Amino acid sequence: MAEYSPPTTEQEFQVNFAQLKPRMNRTEAMLESSRCLFCFDAPCIQACPSGIDIPQFIRQINTGNVTGAARTIYEANYFGNACGKVCPTEVLCEGACVYNLQDVKPIEIGRLQSFATRAQMDSGEALFGPGTPTGRRVAVIGAGPAGISCACELRALGHEVDVFEAKAQPSGLTVYGVAPYKITNEETLAEMAYLQGQFGYTVHYNAPIASRADVQKLEADYDAVFLGIGLGSTSTLGLPGEDRVGCVGAVEFIEQLRQQHHAVAVGRRVVVLGGGNTAMDAASESARMGAEHVTLAYRRSKSDMGAYDFEYDLAKGVGVEGLFNVAPVEITGNGKVEGVRFVRTATTGGQVQPVPGSEFVVPCDMVIKATGQSKQTVFLGLIEGLQLDAKGRIILDSRTGQTTNPRYFAAGDAGNGGAEVVNAATEAKVTARGIHEYLMSLK
Ligand SMILES: Cc1cc2nc3c(=O)[nH]c(=O)nc-3n(C[C@H](O)[C@H](O)[C@H](O)COP(=O)(O)OP(=O)(O)OC[C@H]3O[C@@H](n4cnc5c(N)ncnc54)[C@H](O)[C@@H]3O)c2cc1C
Ligand code: SF4
């Protein structure tokens, strides 16, 4: 039974996709920050991939120094506002907060982080600016968390930066992929505008780098190239019927949802294939779009799912039903999707095996494949000397981000194979310093 009615207006969409971590007001921020114990050797800092000095910024909020708090956050992570909202804080900083040991609600670090950074953005006051010009030029491919973070840090170090982005907006999957109940388009783009206003890099939109000629032009025009291209489209499953109308990739479905909101049509009965966080998002989103029945089907057991427990709980909380130890064998239908034929599975010695004679069909009119994103191997093959590992990830030096072609550097999903916004932002900042080292060594 549907818990949500299909939204027909932007207002209804916003109600169905109400923010999980809404913006705090000043009173809430003062109250919450006053609970912090300002721990010595704070475990929350250790758990933050970008190493933000969390007790420091919470103390700054509590003493009324919101600008100082925003500076503390942005010095560690240029996606400070977005990360306060989209990070899986439940398993990172907030999961490590000492209050958990006493069964007391941990400090709402993410919301405090977004409070301080948003207040700073709204003030319009710059915190940083470009460094003394070095005369060196860097091309950044991709305006996602990796590309934009790298661009900010390179500008702070005095290099000229041009970003080339295939799509029409910056921030990559933050605006095209993350669930709309975690962050709004407005919030994401406000941070992008705030960063660009301070650092002054140029972004060329609708400008994919797609051919060998494009690559050669960048090599001729720039001293170094940063690859912040992320991953590709949803991988195909190779199932009969996968091309039926109504069978879509999760990344493509979510991108449409993020851009068109209530204008997107969702089936009445939806089957989501997969057990990762993207599957949980696609299932929750379908339910919030008013699907009457959403089934999340995974080939192993519930405890084997790659998704965080809290993401599965979130999906269950909006009526999604889990179906475990099943593998899809066919998308049934006549032109359009009418169901998914599954076979039950058993796992022996870590291997998933079909159980003979156990096939059954789950009727549905939409199938969302959340079975992973492909790698951009074709594009990366255009770059001479660039090596990938067996999983299609760019091989790079973990200290400098330099690839096997010395003029190319990389970070984010394209290098780590797919992680979180905070990882892409952090790795890219480190890589920008690697690029700086390289540029300063050029004659
Ligand atoms: C559905 C989904 C939900 C997610 N939810 C969360 C979440 O809740 N919290 C979280 O922290 N993380 C989440 N993630 C992961 C997170 O979004 C990524 O780890 C992060 O965005 C990676 O940043 P990136 O810059 O490496 O790549 P991307 O964000 O993918 O950005 C890459 C950019 O490069 C551009 N590009 C690619 N190729 C070219 C080219 N040849 N020329 C020009 N431009 C190009 C792309 O258009 C894109 O804008 C989610 C991911 C998905 C798929
Ligand atoms: S662990 Fe919790 S209480 Fe301690 S400094 Fe971090 S947020 Fe504050």
Side-chain angles (χ1 to χ4, degrees), residues 19-167:
Q19 294 297 291
L20 293 181
K21 294 181 185 167
R23 204 182 299 174
M24 278 181 172
N25 62 34
R26 201 162 280 270
T27 310
E28 287 173 304
M30 287 306 275
L31 197 64
E32 187 63 6
S33 58
S34 70
R35 292 207 303 128
C36 181
L37 303 171
F38 310 117
C39 306
F40 176 73
D41 226 0
C44 54
I45 305 180
Q46 314 298 329
C48 172
S50 57
I52 296 176
D53 191 339
I54 293 165
Q56 164 82 351
F57 90 69
I58 295 181
R59 192 192 295 275
Q60 287 167 315
I61 291 175
N62 197 246
T63 53
N65 181 7
V66 176
T67 297
R71 184 182 289 280
T72 302
I73 296 160
Y74 277 125
E75 273 172 354
N77 180 349
Y78 290 119
F79 273 60
N81 186 64
C83 282
K85 306 210 75 186
V86 312
C87 262
T89 52
E90 295 83 347
V91 294
L92 296 176
C93 54
E94 293 175 16
C97 176
V98 292
Y99 275 121
N100 291 294
L101 301 171
Q102 296 144 21
D103 280 338
V104 174
K105 190 167 83 74
I107 303 289
E108 290 192 74
I109 300 169
R111 288 182 71 203
L112 285 169
Q113 184 169 312
S114 296
F115 163 77
T117 45
R118 184 68 206 218
Q120 185 61 27
M121 283 195 267
D122 288 347
S123 78
E125 192 190 315
L127 288 174
F128 309 103
T132 311
T134 61
R136 295 292 177 190
R137 305 183 73 212
V138 182
V140 168
I141 310 181
I148 294 296
S149 301
C150 184
C152 291
E153 189 72 358
L154 285 170
R155 288 293 296 136
L157 293 164
H159 308 296
E160 220 179 288
V161 180
D162 284 326
V163 183
F164 297 87
E165 169 54 50
K167 294 191 172 155

Side-chain angles (χ1 to χ4, degrees), residues 29-380:
M30 287 306 275
L31 197 64
E32 187 63 6
S33 58
S34 70
R35 292 207 303 128
C36 181
L37 303 171
F38 310 117
C39 306
F40 176 73
D41 226 0
C44 54
I45 305 180
Q46 314 298 329
C48 172
S50 57
I52 296 176
D53 191 339
I54 293 165
Q56 164 82 351
F57 90 69
I58 295 181
R59 192 192 295 275
Q60 287 167 315
I61 291 175
N62 197 246
T63 53
N65 181 7
V66 176
T67 297
R71 184 182 289 280
T72 302
I73 296 160
Y74 277 125
E75 273 172 354
N77 180 349
Y78 290 119
F79 273 60
N81 186 64
C83 282
K85 306 210 75 186
V86 312
C87 262
T89 52
E90 295 83 347
V91 294
L92 296 176
C93 54
E94 293 175 16
C97 176
V98 292
Y99 275 121
N100 291 294
L101 301 171
Q102 296 144 21
D103 280 338
V104 174
K105 190 167 83 74
I107 303 289
E108 290 192 74
I109 300 169
R111 288 182 71 203
L112 285 169
Q113 184 169 312
S114 296
F115 163 77
T117 45
R118 184 68 206 218
Q120 185 61 27
M121 283 195 267
D122 288 347
S123 78
E125 192 190 315
L127 288 174
F128 309 103
T132 311
T134 61
R136 295 292 177 190
R137 305 183 73 212
V138 182
V140 168
I141 310 181
I148 294 296
S149 301
C150 184
C152 291
E153 189 72 358
L154 285 170
R155 288 293 296 136
L157 293 164
H159 308 296
E160 220 179 288
V161 180
D162 284 326
V163 183
F164 297 87
E165 169 54 50
K167 294 191 172 155
Q169 290 176 313
S171 84
L173 286 168
T174 322
V175 79
Y176 289 109
V178 173
Y181 43 78
K182 292 188 185 163
I183 192 164
T184 64
N185 295 17
E186 186 277 330
E187 276 164 322
T188 311
L189 298 176
E191 187 162 52
M192 296 303 97
Y194 181 60
L195 293 175
Q196 193 176 7
Q198 291 177 82
F199 290 104
Y201 47 83
T202 306
V203 189
H204 304 273
Y205 292 108
N206 304 306
I209 303 299
S211 64
R212 179 76 194 127
D214 290 344
V215 167
Q216 281 171 326
K217 178 143 176 47
L218 294 189
E219 289 172 0
D221 293 350
Y222 297 89
D223 299 298
V225 181
F226 174 79
L227 299 166
I229 59 170
L231 301 173
S233 51
T234 302
S235 309
T236 52
L237 289 171
L239 290 179
E242 206 175 332
D243 55 352
R244 293 194 200 289
V245 176
C247 178
V248 297
V251 177
E252 294 70 23
F253 164 68
I254 296 169
E255 175 171 340
Q256 215 190 358
L257 183 73
R258 278 300 299 256
Q259 297 305 303
Q260 298 173 19
H261 287 184
H262 59 280
V264 171
V266 170
R268 280 177 49 244
R269 295 179 69 88
V270 179
V271 171
V272 178
L273 304 173
N277 292 318
T278 298
M280 305 304 130
D281 282 357
S284 285
E285 287 159 358
S286 304
R288 287 167 198 262
M289 286 300 286
E292 281 171 21
H293 198 269
V294 183
T295 305
L296 180 81
Y298 181 53
R299 63 201 187 101
R300 293 176 186 261
S301 71
K302 178 171 159 290
S303 59
D304 289 327
M305 286 200 299
Y308 297 123
D309 288 347
F310 72 86
E311 294 280 16
Y312 179 57
D313 291 344
L314 200 60
K316 271 196 317 186
V318 292
V320 172
E321 276 180 27
L323 180 62
F324 300 102
N325 299 305
V326 293
V329 289
E330 182 190 358
I331 312 296
T332 65
N334 183 12
K336 286 188 188 159
V337 167
E338 287 174 12
V340 181
R341 184 182 305 283
F342 286 103
V343 64
R344 294 198 187 278
T345 62
T347 306
T348 33
Q351 295 294 311
V352 177
Q353 304 289 349
V355 177
S358 65
E359 291 191 7
F360 64 102
V361 173
V362 174
C364 64
D365 50 8
M366 184 175 194
V367 176
I368 304 179
K369 295 175 289 178
T371 42
Q373 286 176 269
S374 58
K375 306 287 188 317
Q376 298 226 45
T377 47
V378 174
F379 168 69
L380 294 170

